[in-house]
């Protein structure tokens, strides 16, 4: 079965979050970011201390992508931290983007 997810990684050195969606396991995707699999000109290539902050399992690639874009539109570190602190926010996002 194909697994879809929206993931958030964090770099302490940049003090920044990166939000993405994938069909891969979030840990595998993180490893690709750390090894500059996507190229050395990409945003995540600016640091080598990325850690997985949050993984949101999704039913479809579309749902994962919609949740990713929703989080990016919020443009808020506080919102991202609240996703982890208050899991009910994630539940509402999954309902909204069924």
């Amino acid at each position: 079965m194909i697994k879809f997810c929206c993931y958030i990684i964090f770099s302490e050195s940049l003090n920044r979050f990166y939000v993405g969606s994938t069909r891969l396991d979030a840990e595998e995707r993180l490893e690709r970011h750390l090894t500059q699999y996507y190229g050395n000109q990409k945003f995540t290539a600016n640091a080598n201390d990325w850690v997985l902050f949050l993984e949101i399992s999704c039913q479809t690639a579309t749902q994962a992508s919609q949740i990713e874009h929703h989080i990016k539109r919020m443009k808020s570190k506080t919102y991202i931290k609240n996703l982890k602190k208050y899991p009910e926010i994630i539940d509402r996002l999954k309902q909204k983007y069924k």
Side-chain angles (χ1 to χ4, degrees), residues 2 18-20 22 27 40 49 56-57 69 76 88 95 98:
I2 297 176
Y18 176 86
V19 181
T22 186
E27 289 289 342
N40 62 1
D49 64 340
I56 302 170
S57 296
H69 288 101
S76 170
E88 60 271 16
Q95 285 291 34
K98 269 191 163 180

Side-chain angles (χ1 to χ4, degrees), residues 9 11 13-14 18 30 32-50:
I9 57 178
S11 167
S13 64
L14 297 176
Y18 176 86
L30 171 62
R32 288 184 175 195
H33 285 295
L34 290 170
T35 59
Q36 297 182 1
Y37 177 88
Y38 302 106
N40 62 1
Q41 299 299 313
K42 299 293 183 183
F43 173 74
T44 55
N46 293 324
N48 61 1
D49 64 340
W50 294 103

Side-chain angles (χ1 to χ4, degrees), residues 5-10 17-20 26 51-57 71 79-87 90 93:
C5 75
C6 174
Y7 65 96
I8 302 171
I9 57 178
F10 178 75
F17 288 99
Y18 176 86
V19 181
V51 294
L52 184 61
F53 180 79
L54 184 64
E55 178 179 6
I56 302 170
S57 296
I71 295 168
Y79 183 76
I80 289 173
K81 290 175 184 176
N82 282 341
L83 287 172
K84 192 170 193 175
K85 190 174 182 180
Y86 304 108
I90 294 171
L93 284 175

